[in-house]
Amino acid sequence: MNEEITFIYTVGGGSEHYENMERSINSIERLRGPSKFLIIEFGEKLKNSKNREIISLPKTIDFSAGKKVGYIIWKHKYVAALKVKTKFGIYVDTDTVMVNDTIKDIISLLDGGVGVSQHFWVPTISHYEKMATNKETFSLFKEAKALCGLKDTDGFFAGGVFIFENNERCKEVFKEVLRLYDEFYNDESDYVKSVTDELFLAAALAKNDDLIRPFGGALNHCCMGDNHMPLIWANDKFYGRNPWDKDWDPITFFHCNVARRDPAENYKDEEMSKRVREAWGI
């Protein structure tokens, strides 16, 4: 099945992001063997190889300008998704590692759609508006929300991992994300803290809700402790869920920027902390 799947990354800036990505790629190939990768790089450090296609955009971002640029990097997830040539595509943030290979099972449930996980902290637009906006950003958030046509009850999905079947309808979802991006952010815009790619993804999926394939928090597990995302070890595997879910599923990806913090720092059980660090290779 590996020849039918492309893993997507976007990377640029400091060396820690490249190191994170290599760790993520190595974790995938350790569990799945040689795999296909499509990487949009905002730089010129990477080279094409047998299994890695590099799209270099060295002039798109000026990392020395002192401005927030993450929103430009996030936008290119969807640019990359439109360039996938295989039957399936999987976007993965650079600061992730695969801990269980559940891809075959997930793909069997896609049925032409987009596999996503609701955000553990802000699962709906209403939650996001309440938790992620402030006095400085509220009016611009409301502007973006109106542009997107979002309702309070619409789902808000974690953008760190999503899986899709490479068909015309899924492509229309990603094109809609980019349309909304370009309508809100122009060449002179600066980043608005509460207006991320996840807001535009939520809007595009809300308009195509028959394509939403919801997977629990185990798809993209943030290593932040049980108060945020419950975690257990059983049958020689990590299992996780979103706080409101009842069912435990094998975790596909751990998510944490280990260049900034210890992924095990919020687990009180020493054995669990040890296993989490081992999963990250640290």
Side-chain angles (χ1 to χ4, degrees):
M1 175 172 272
N2 278 11
E3 67 278 2
E4 296 183 327
I5 301 169
T6 300
F7 291 89
I8 302 166
Y9 291 91
T10 56
V11 69
S15 61
E16 69 273 15
H17 302 298
Y18 289 86
E19 291 166 6
N20 283 345
M21 185 182 71
E22 288 300 325
R23 182 184 295 106
S24 183
I25 289 173
N26 290 340
S27 73
I28 291 169
E29 295 203 311
R30 184 170 62 250
L31 291 175
R32 297 184 54 82
S35 302
K36 293 180 181 291
F37 299 95
L38 173 62
I39 303 168
I40 289 186
E41 183 197 11
F42 301 94
E44 296 180 289
K45 297 178 181 178
L46 304 176
K47 303 296 181 185
N48 286 307
S49 64
K50 180 180 178 181
N51 293 329
R52 299 189 190 188
E53 179 184 353
I54 312 300
I55 299 173
S56 296
L57 302 175
K59 297 182 180 179
T60 300
I61 296 176
D62 180 2
F63 288 98
S64 66
K67 295 182 178 181
K68 293 287 187 181
V69 297
Y71 73 105
I72 303 173
I73 296 174
W74 304 332
K75 172 184 175 180
H76 283 77
K77 302 176 187 180
Y78 310 97
V79 174
L82 291 171
K83 296 183 180 296
V84 167
K85 302 181 183 72
T86 51
K87 186 175 181 180
F88 302 101
I90 304 175
Y91 170 78
V92 203
D93 272 1
T94 55
D95 54 348
T96 59
V97 289
M98 180 179 278
V99 293
N100 290 304
D101 181 9
T102 64
I103 301 301
K104 184 177 180 180
D105 293 335
I106 292 172
I107 281 175
S108 71
L109 299 172
L110 279 184
D111 191 27
V114 182
V116 286
S117 176
Q118 280 185 272
H119 199 288
F120 74 92
W121 185 53
V122 283
T124 68
I125 295 300
S126 176
H127 287 99
Y128 185 78
E129 181 174 330
K130 180 180 178 180
M131 302 298 290
T133 62
N134 55 38
K135 289 187 293 185
E136 287 73 30
T137 63
F138 185 71
S139 62
L140 286 170
F141 171 82
K142 295 293 279 189
E143 179 185 322
K145 181 181 176 184
L147 168 68
C148 292
L150 284 163
K151 304 187 296 293
D152 287 345
T153 54
D154 287 331
F156 188 82
F157 305 101
V161 178
F162 59 85
I163 302 178
F164 59 95
E165 188 166 324
N166 190 18
N167 57 43
E168 289 305 314
R169 289 207 60 208
C170 289
K171 288 179 181 179
E172 288 304 315
V173 169
F174 304 136
K175 289 177 182 178
E176 177 65 5
V177 173
L178 293 172
R179 184 189 73 79
L180 292 168
Y181 235 110
D182 289 339
E183 193 160 342
F184 185 81
Y185 286 115
N186 57 47
D187 290 341
E188 298 178 358
S189 299
D190 288 330
Y191 172 53
V192 177
K193 188 175 181 180
S194 57
V195 181
T196 70
D197 69 292
E198 293 165 320
L199 195 68
F200 303 129
L201 177 62
L205 288 172
K207 293 173 184 176
N208 298 274
D209 59 358
D210 62 313
L211 293 180
I212 298 173
R213 302 292 179 265
F215 294 94
L219 175 64
N220 176 21
H221 182 96
C222 291
C223 295
M224 297 181 67
D226 289 333
N227 290 337
H228 297 279
M229 297 194 82
L231 176 69
I232 59 173
W233 174 266
N235 304 317
D236 293 324
K237 290 182 179 180
F238 286 106
Y239 288 79
R241 58 180 174 84
N242 272 325
W244 60 86
D245 292 329
K246 293 182 179 179
D247 294 332
W248 296 86
D249 293 307
I251 290 172
T252 309
F253 289 97
F254 273 165
H255 199 162
C256 177
N257 187 348
V258 298
R260 295 181 180 175
R261 68 176 183 87
D262 179 354
E265 66 186 7
N266 292 310
Y267 300 101
K268 296 178 181 179
D269 181 80
E270 289 186 13
E271 187 63 26
M272 179 65 79
S273 295
K274 178 183 177 183
R275 291 188 188 280
V276 168
R277 290 191 182 97
E278 286 176 348
W280 282 96
I282 58 176

